C-alpha cells in the first residue's frame, strides 16, 4: 500500500511541477510498480529507438541521440550518488537524499525533448509514467529532477555542433567504374547516412582518428582470394556453403548497432544503478564510435560490394576473377560501401570494451541474434571469427574487410574504454 501511495504522490508532484503531465497516469500501467536499476536506463534507452522509428529517421542517427541520452543519465546518476568517476560533461551539485532514478529519468527526458521535438506529447506521457514509478519521496524526486535537468543540459551543450543533424546524404559523391561503390540490388537505394562520417565521436574529437589503409588493389592476390571465397560461399544458390554456415550468416544478419547495443544492456541487467549507468554509457558509446570510424573509412574509399564486383569480374583488371553476371548474395546487401565491415568493426569495439572492463578476453558471453536465437561464446576471439565468417558467408563482404574492421574496432573500443568516464583517481 505504501508503494502505491508513493507512486501516486510522486505523480501528483510532477503535475504541480508541470501541468503537461495531468492525465498521463494511465501510461504507468505499462511499467513495473517501481522503476530502478538498469531497467530504468533501458526503458529510456530503448525508448529512443522507438522515437527514432516514429519520426522516422535512420537508426544510425538515432544511435547517436541514444548515446547522448545514456551519457546524460550517467552524469545525472554519478552526480546524485557522488560517484567516483569523471563526468562526460558536468557533475551538478545534488541535495542530500535526491533520487538518482528521478535524476536519470529527467536527464533522458530533457534529451528526448531536444532530439525529438515533434514527439513532445509522447515523451511527456512516458516521462510522467516513469516518474510515477520511482520509489522515492516527493522531495527526493524533486531534488533528483533538478540534477537530471542540469546534467542533460550539460551533455547537450557539450554536443553542440557535433554534426548529428546534418542531412543524410552529406558527404556522398556518386562514383563509377571498377572498384567503386554504386547502389546495389534489389532496391538500388541511396547510400545509408554518409553524414555519419563527420559526426564527432564520444571521448575524442576527430572522426578520422582510426581510419585504416586503403582496401587491396583490384589486381592483387589478396583481392582475388577474397573474390573467390565470397563468390563461392556467399552466393544465394548452388553454393558450397554448409547448413551451419548459412545459419551463422543469418544469426548475425540484423543491424550491428542493434545487436551489440542489446548485448551491452543485457550484461548491465544485474548491476547496481551507478555501475549499470557507466557500463551502458561506455558500451553504447563504443558502438557509436565504431560506426563513426567505420563510416569515415567507407565513404573515404567507397569500395564496391561483392554483388557489384562479381557481376563485373571482367572489368577489374585481374585475370583470376571470372565474372558471374547472375550472382546474388545469400543475404541482401546493405546500402553503403563495403570497406571495412561494420559488423566486425562494431563487434570488436564492444569486445575491446568488455575486455578492459572485465580484465580478460576469456569469458562466457550469451548473445541474442536474428529472430531471438541465442548462442554462447567463451572467448573474444571466437566471436571475432564467427562474426567475420558470417559476413563473408552472407555474401555482403570480402574477408579482408572483416579483418580490417576487427582491427579498427579493437582500437576504437580500447581507446573509448580508457578515456571515457574514467575513475577520478585515474
Amino acid at each position: 500500500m505504501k508503494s502505491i501511495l508513493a507512486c501516486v504522490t510522486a505523480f501528483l508532484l510532477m503535475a504541480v511541477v508541470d501541468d503537461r503531465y495531468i492525465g498521463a497516469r494511465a501510461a504507468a500501467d505499462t511499467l513495473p510498480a517501481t522503476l530502478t536499476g538498469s531497467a530504468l536506463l533501458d526503458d529510456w534507452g530503448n525508448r529512443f529507438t522507438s522515437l527514432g522509428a516514429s519520426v522516422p529517421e535512420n537508426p544510425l542517427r538515432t544511435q547517436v541521440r541514444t548515446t547522448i541520452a545514456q551519457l546524460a543519465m550517467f552524469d545525472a546518476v554519478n552526480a546524485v550518488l557522488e560517484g567516483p568517476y569523471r563526468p562526460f560533461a558536468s557533475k551538478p551539485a545534488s541535495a542530500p537524499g535526491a533520487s538518482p532514478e528521478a535524476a536519470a529519468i529527467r536527464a533522458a527526458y530533457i534529451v528526448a525533448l531536444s532530439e525529438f521535438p515533434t514527439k513532445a506529447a509522447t515523451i511527456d506521457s512516458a516521462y510522467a509514467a516513469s516518474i510515477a514509478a520511482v520509489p522515492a519521496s516527493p522531495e527526493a524526486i524533486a531534488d533528483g529532477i533538478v540534477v537530471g535537468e542540469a546534467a542533460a543540459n550539460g551533455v547537450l551543450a557539450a554536443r553542440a555542433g557535433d554534426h548529428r543533424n546534418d542531412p543524410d546524404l552529406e558527404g556522398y559523391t556518386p562514383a563509377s567504374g571498377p572498384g567503386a561503390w554504386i547502389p546495389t540490388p534489389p532496391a538500388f537505394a541511396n547510400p545509408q547516412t554518409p553524414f555519419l562520417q563527420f559526426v564527432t565521436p564520444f571521448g575524442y574529437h576527430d572522426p578520422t582518428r582510426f581510419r585504416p589503409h586503403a582496401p587491396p588493389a583490384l589486381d592483387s592476390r589478396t583481392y582475388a582470394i577474397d573474390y573467390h571465397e565470397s563468390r563461392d560461399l556467399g552466393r544465394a544458390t548452388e553454393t558450397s556453403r554448409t547448413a551451419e554456415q548459412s545459419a551463422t550468416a543469418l544469426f548475425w544478419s540484423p543491424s550491428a548497432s542493434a545487436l551489440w547495443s542489446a548485448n551491452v544492456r543485457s550484461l548491465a541487467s544485474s548491476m547496481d544503478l551507478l555501475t549499470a549507468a557507466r557500463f551502458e554509457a561506455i558500451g553504447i558509446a563504443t558502438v557509436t564510435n565504431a560506426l563513426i570510424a567505420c563510416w569515415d573509412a567507407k565513404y573515404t574509399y567507397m569500395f564496391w560490394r561483392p554483388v557489384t564486383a562479381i557481376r563485373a569480374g571482367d572489368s577489374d583488371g585481374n585475370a583470376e576473377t571470372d565474372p558471374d553476371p547472375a550472382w546474388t548474395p545469400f543475404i541482401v546487401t546493405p546500402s553503403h560501401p563495403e570497406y571495412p565491415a561494420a559488423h566486425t568493426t562494431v563487434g570488436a569495439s564492444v569486445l575491446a570494451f568488455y575486455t578492459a572492463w572485465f580484465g580478460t578476453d576469456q569469458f562466457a558471453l550469451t548473445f541474442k541474434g536474428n529472430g531471438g536465437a541465442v548462442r554462447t561464446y567463451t572467448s573474444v576471439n571466437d566471436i571475432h571469427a564467427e562474426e567475420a565468417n558470417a559476413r563473408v558467408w552472407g555474401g555482403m563482404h570480402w574477408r579482408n574487410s572483416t579483418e580490417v574492421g576487427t582491427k579498427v574496432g579493437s582500437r576504437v573500443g580500447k581507446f573509448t574504454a580508457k578515456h571515457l568516464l574514467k575513475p577520478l583517481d585515474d
Side-chain angles (χ1 to χ4, degrees), residues 34 46 83 111 115 161 163 174 182 195 198 218 267 277 300 308 321 385 388:
T34 59
N46 290 323
V111 175
E115 301 303 293
H163 298 285
I182 59 174
F195 85 91
F198 302 121
L218 298 183
L267 290 186
T300 294
T308 304
T321 58

Side-chain angles (χ1 to χ4, degrees), residues 9-325:
T9 302
F11 170 73
L12 291 175
L13 170 69
M14 290 315 305
V16 171
V17 172
D18 193 325
D19 62 10
R20 288 176 295 176
Y21 309 127
I22 296 176
R25 181 66 183 87
D29 293 340
T30 62
L31 293 171
T34 59
L35 192 58
T36 60
S38 65
L40 180 159
L41 306 171
D42 296 348
D43 177 57
W44 278 90
N46 290 323
R47 195 179 305 283
F48 272 68
T49 301
S50 300
L51 288 167
S54 70
V55 171
E57 68 178 12
N58 188 282
L60 299 188
R61 190 186 297 275
T62 305
Q63 176 72 27
V64 180
R65 305 193 196 285
T66 303
T67 308
I68 292 172
Q70 296 283 164
L71 289 163
M73 287 192 285
F74 168 77
D75 276 5
V77 172
N78 190 48
V80 170
L81 296 179
E82 299 183 356
Y85 305 108
R86 300 181 189 181
F88 177 76
S90 67
K91 198 170 187 178
S94 175
S99 166
E101 292 86 0
I105 292 169
R106 184 69 175 192
Y109 166 72
I110 294 298
V111 175
L113 285 179
S114 171
E115 301 303 293
F116 304 105
T118 64
K119 300 297 177 180
T122 299
I123 295 167
D124 286 347
S125 178
Y127 173 66
S130 293
I131 283 292
V134 172
S137 69
E139 294 78 12
I141 290 173
D143 288 340
I145 286 171
V146 172
V147 176
E149 184 152 347
N153 287 331
V155 173
L156 288 169
R159 294 298 296 183
D162 67 358
H163 298 285
R164 70 183 182 276
N165 293 315
D166 286 2
D168 272 0
L169 293 179
E170 184 165 322
Y172 168 61
T173 301
S176 62
W181 182 86
I182 59 174
T184 52
F188 296 97
N190 281 329
Q192 185 182 23
T193 56
F195 85 91
L196 190 64
Q197 65 185 300
F198 302 121
V199 172
T200 304
F202 295 86
Y204 56 100
H205 298 291
D206 184 5
T208 72
R209 183 184 189 105
F210 299 103
R211 182 181 295 173
H213 54 73
L218 298 183
D219 60 357
S220 68
R221 182 62 178 156
T222 297
Y223 177 74
I225 292 172
D226 286 359
Y227 182 99
H228 285 282
E229 182 183 25
S230 294
R231 186 190 66 182
D232 296 342
L233 292 175
R235 69 169 75 245
T237 59
E238 299 179 1
T239 177
S240 55
R241 186 181 57 251
T242 66
E244 175 57 27
Q245 288 170 333
S246 294
T248 297
L250 288 170
F251 179 86
W252 289 98
S253 61
S255 156
S257 55
L259 288 175
W260 282 103
S261 292
N263 191 255
V264 168
R265 297 190 191 287
S266 72
L267 290 186
S269 62
S270 61
M271 299 175 181
D272 63 79
L273 180 58
L274 177 58
T275 305
R278 183 168 177 259
F279 184 87
E280 290 196 7
I282 301 173
I284 300 301
T286 62
V287 171
T288 307
N289 285 350
L291 287 169
I292 293 168
C294 187
W295 255 241
D296 166 65
K298 282 180 180 290
Y299 287 96
T300 294
Y301 299 117
M302 290 283 288
F303 201 53
W304 61 1
R305 291 279 186 170
V307 68
T308 304
I310 294 170
R311 294 181 180 189
D314 56 350
S315 70
D316 59 19
N318 193 318
E320 299 182 55
T321 58
D322 295 331
D324 183 348

